[in-house]
Amino acid sequence: MRDFGAWFSEQGKSEPVEIDGSAWMKCCGCGKEETVNLKAYENGDTGWYVDDEVEPDGTYEGVCGGSDRCIP
């Protein structure tokens, strides 16, 4: 009997690759700048709000939610 790994390789299927990275953010309200983990950003754990779709290694302007000047 063949090994399962060999059979799986023959099928041409690969395990999904999860992209994890970070992006540089600058707040338009208070000027705060920080690097944000994309997984945390997508989960809403950072408090940042950006209109554009956030990609790994990108630079974005948005609001951080840290003060009354930073409310989306």
Side-chain angles (χ1 to χ4, degrees):
M1 185 184 256
R2 270 191 311 183
D3 177 81
F4 176 74
W7 175 85
F8 195 74
S9 295
E10 289 174 7
Q11 302 305 309
K13 299 179 182 180
S14 60
E15 295 185 25
V17 177
E18 189 170 313
I19 298 173
D20 189 27
S22 59
W24 183 81
M25 306 279 193
K26 180 176 182 178
C27 183
C28 296
C30 68
K32 177 180 177 180
E33 299 177 4
E34 77 175 319
T35 301
V36 175
N37 179 288
L38 290 183
K39 194 178 284 187
Y41 172 77
E42 290 177 3
N43 291 335
D45 294 340
T46 62
W48 281 92
Y49 177 79
V50 177
D51 281 335
D52 301 325
E53 185 173 332
V54 178
E55 303 275 330
D57 300 323
T59 300
Y60 301 93
E61 289 189 7
V63 289
C64 69
S67 75
D68 59 340
R69 296 175 291 169
C70 308
I71 297 174

